[in-house]
Each structure stands twice: as C-alpha cells, then as structure tokens.
Amino acid sequence: QVQLVESGGGLVQTGGSLRLSCAASGRTFSNYAMAWFRQAPGKERDFVAGISRSGSTRYIDSVKGRFTISRVNARNTVYLQMNSLKPEDTAVYYCAADPVSSRYTIRDSPDEYEYWGQGTQVTVSS
C-alpha cells in the first residue's frame, strides 16, 4: 500500500507559477514510476507529466517547456513545477504511482496507476 498526499495548489494569475508536491508513504518509493494527471470539470482525467524509476521524464505537448516533473527518492516526494500558467491549466491535479517493473517506462493511461492522491485544485485566472 502507498499513500500519496498532494499539496501546493491554489489560485494564480495567468503567467504565474506554482509548485505541486506529492509526498508518498508506505512501500519503497523508488520502485514506482510517478505521474501527475489533471481533471477539469466535465472532462476526463488526463496525463500531464510522468517520471520513470530511473528519472527520465515525459510531458504532454501543451505543457512542454512550462512544467517540470522531478523526484527526490530520499524524501519520497515528487514535484511538479508549473511556470507560465494559463487558464486552460485550471484543473484538479492528482499524483499517481505505477508499480511498473521497468526502470524506464512511463505510462500515460490512468488505468495503469495503482495509487492516487486526493487531488489539489489549481486555478489560473485570466
């Protein structure tokens, strides 16, 4: 069992920045690929960024160059630094853990992720 707790969401103006944190407890954090998903009202939960067990990263096109995902295994924490925020980034952001066996794989389907945090709201005003 892995417990995930997100923090760092809030209200920010267009062009502003936020850093989301996801603290994990339970099983060995380094054994999981980690990802951030987001869900806007009335929409499905979508992959935003992921980081493999080895530290490689993957992003959706709309956040490339603006968002950075990172992990610190010694702290059991994954981060999402979000810069140049836009109103279309408004959503509830979820942290998720994937017990994938490969050190290099980053999957983008929410069905592959076994553990989820409770979510944190990010609102970008225009």
Side-chain angles (χ1 to χ4, degrees), residues 2-119:
V2 175
Q3 293 79 42
L4 302 173
V5 178
E6 301 103 333
S7 61
L11 173 64
V12 65
Q13 292 185 334
T14 297
S17 298
L18 286 173
R19 187 176 82 154
L20 305 183
S21 300
C22 173
S25 61
R27 295 186 177 177
T28 305
F29 179 71
S30 60
N31 287 345
Y32 294 82
M34 301 297 297
W36 289 93
F37 289 76
R38 66 187 179 187
Q39 188 168 20
K43 296 189 176 181
E44 295 186 348
R45 190 170 298 188
D46 293 328
F47 176 87
V48 175
I51 186 164
S52 71
R53 292 171 55 198
S54 67
S56 58
T57 58
R58 179 181 174 188
Y59 301 90
I60 56 172
D61 286 346
S62 62
V63 308
K64 285 180 181 176
R66 300 190 297 123
F67 290 11
T68 303
I69 188 171
S70 60
R71 65 189 299 163
V72 179
N73 288 341
R75 297 178 184 174
N76 290 351
T77 303
V78 62
Y79 302 97
L80 186 67
Q81 177 67 44
M82 305 186 294
N83 299 328
S84 302
L85 282 160
K86 305 175 180 180
E88 50 264 44
D89 295 318
T90 295
V92 177
Y93 283 69
Y94 296 91
C95 171
D98 178 7
V100 64
S101 57
S102 166
R103 295 187 69 246
Y104 308 102
T105 298
I106 302 168
R107 299 191 280 197
D108 60 10
S109 168
D111 295 338
E112 304 288 358
Y113 286 77
E114 187 168 348
Y115 301 105
W116 292 84
Q118 81 288 352

